[in-house]
Amino acid sequence: MATSVVVGGTLTAHNRQILTAVNAGASSLSLAGSSFIVLCYLLFKELRKFSFKLVFYLALSDMLCSFFSIIGDPSKGFFCYAQGYSTHFFCVASFLWTTTIAFTLHRTVVKHKTDVEDLEAMFHLYVWGTSLVMTVMRSFGNDHRHFGAWCWTQTGRTGKAIHFITFYMPLWGAILYNGFTYLQVIRMLNNATRMAVGMSGQAYVSDTRDNMRALNRWGYYPLILIGSWAFGTINRIHDFFEPSHKIFWLSLLDVGTAALMGLFNSIAYGLNSSVRRAICERLDKFWPERLYRWLPNNFKYKNLQQESELVSFKIEDQR
């Protein structure tokens, strides 16, 4: 993963073993979570809408990023390069897909446009093209080495600056864009809710508030990227100015939180009411009645509310 640049220097062999284990464990959780979302998309036809297709691409990027991150101890040469560049490519693609989701929500809710599905090809060009350019740029001045369970780059300040430019600058650009976009969406929906209270019946007010509750959750999603990469950013800056002084606890938080990004994304973006509803419909058919009462309330079909996820409810209303 991109966090693999962290270790080396003054860290002991025992510390590196701990970081290796933390990375493998956290990445395995992310791999399981993102693979579950990919599997749901492939198995349940009712989920194959444009809104969830973007979530599928996000989960696919997270899945591949986690997979290459836990490949384990590449011996030399090609496999070392493949692991280092693959994790960088798919990590960048992951947070870029979150910006396409934010853009789609903003264009549909704020600008009242219904042409987002026509932009899918542009989304692919933007995400995969940018990821490729950032990954190729990262190779400038790099000398790939093999330490412990990862391949990463041992370079001077020039290489570290290039790594920061090709990963952390786009990352924080995506965080700022997502935060600003969701703020605009939530502000508009707040205004719509106040107007509904004053002008419409109670049923419509209730529906509007349900939509507001569903969309309010998206305002917290930029925090996923912040929580996943804040320690990594601090660690990169510290390593730039103090390359001979590694801080183990900071490296531990860096590796652990970054490797969990796929799990956080799969829960926040993927495990929505549409997915739960699809699962519940299958459980109603095959789950034994005597065991049904042991299921969590969120996975009981009769208790599952019809939430509005992403922008699908807006697109359907405007068509």
Side-chain angles (χ1 to χ4, degrees):
M1 187 175 276
T3 57
S4 301
V5 191
V6 205
V7 266
T10 59
L11 293 180
T12 66
H14 178 65
N15 289 341
R16 290 196 294 270
Q17 289 177 355
I18 293 175
L19 291 172
T20 300
V22 169
N23 174 71
S27 296
S28 297
L29 292 174
S30 290
L31 179 62
S34 53
S35 298
F36 175 77
I37 300 304
V38 170
L39 189 62
C40 287
Y41 179 83
L42 296 176
L43 290 179
F44 304 146
K45 292 182 179 180
E46 61 268 34
L47 295 179
R48 297 175 193 173
K49 301 175 183 178
F50 181 74
S51 57
F52 199 78
K53 186 184 292 187
L54 298 179
V55 177
F56 164 73
Y57 294 135
L58 169 63
L60 185 64
S61 299
D62 285 330
M63 183 182 73
L64 293 172
C65 180
S66 300
F67 170 76
F68 284 109
S69 183
I70 59 178
I71 278 179
D73 197 3
S75 55
K76 58 182 179 179
F78 171 78
F79 294 103
C80 186
Y81 278 92
Q83 186 191 41
Y85 285 118
S86 296
T87 52
H88 187 93
F89 177 86
F90 288 111
C91 265
V92 173
S94 173
F95 63 71
L96 290 182
W97 277 118
T98 68
T99 64
T100 67
I101 294 173
F103 174 85
T104 300
L105 183 64
H106 181 271
R107 187 170 181 82
T108 308
V109 175
V110 177
K111 294 191 174 182
H112 305 291
K113 302 289 186 179
T114 59
D115 60 348
V116 286
E117 295 187 28
D118 299 331
L119 301 176
E120 182 178 355
M122 293 298 298
F123 288 165
H124 283 287
L125 180 63
Y126 154 68
V127 172
W128 304 123
T130 304
S131 300
L132 180 62
V133 170
M134 294 297 104
T135 304
V136 171
M137 286 178 60
R138 184 192 171 193
S139 66
F140 297 158
N142 282 358
D143 175 24
H144 278 261
R145 303 287 178 84
H146 165 221
F147 295 92
W150 300 305
C151 283
W152 60 81
T153 310
Q154 287 288 95
T155 62
R157 288 199 169 190
T158 300
K160 292 175 181 178
I162 290 174
H163 180 240
F164 199 91
I165 291 171
T166 59
F167 187 85
Y168 288 94
M169 285 184 62
L171 168 69
W172 285 98
I175 291 172
L176 291 174
Y177 174 79
N178 289 351
F180 177 75
T181 299
Y182 289 129
L183 182 63
Q184 284 190 312
V185 171
I186 292 172
R187 181 180 299 170
M188 178 171 183
L189 289 174
N190 272 322
N191 293 335
T193 301
R194 284 195 293 268
M195 291 178 62
V197 170
M199 300 173 60
S200 302
Q202 188 60 37
Y204 180 80
V205 171
S206 177
D207 290 342
T208 303
R209 288 174 178 171
D210 287 341
N211 291 339
M212 187 63 193
R213 280 194 296 269
L215 286 165
N216 258 334
R217 296 197 310 272
W218 294 87
Y220 296 99
Y221 292 166
L223 297 179
I224 294 175
L225 289 178
I226 295 174
S228 296
W229 295 106
F231 294 111
T233 305
I234 296 171
N235 206 14
R236 291 298 80 67
I237 295 173
H238 174 268
D239 183 60
F240 184 83
F241 291 104
E242 297 288 342
S244 61
H245 180 220
K246 309 293 182 182
I247 303 176
F248 173 67
W249 65 265
L250 183 59
S251 297
L252 187 67
L253 290 172
D254 174 3
V255 171
T257 55
L260 287 172
M261 179 182 67
L263 178 64
F264 297 151
N265 283 337
S266 64
I267 294 173
Y269 288 93
L271 199 59
N272 55 40
S273 66
S274 299
V275 175
R276 297 198 305 271
R277 191 176 305 117
I279 296 173
C280 288
E281 289 175 353
R282 273 66 178 184
L283 289 177
D284 278 344
K285 295 179 181 178
F286 303 109
W287 194 263
E289 184 64 30
R290 57 191 174 87
L291 299 178
Y292 192 78
R293 59 193 180 95
W294 296 103
L295 286 174
N297 285 334
N298 285 342
F299 282 90
K300 292 181 180 178
Y301 185 69
K302 62 182 179 180
N303 293 330
L304 197 59
Q305 295 182 352
Q306 299 289 325
E307 295 179 1
S308 297
E309 297 294 342
L310 196 60
V311 298
S312 57
F313 74 98
K314 284 286 184 180
I315 294 177
E316 293 298 328
D317 288 345
Q318 294 177 20
R319 283 182 174 176

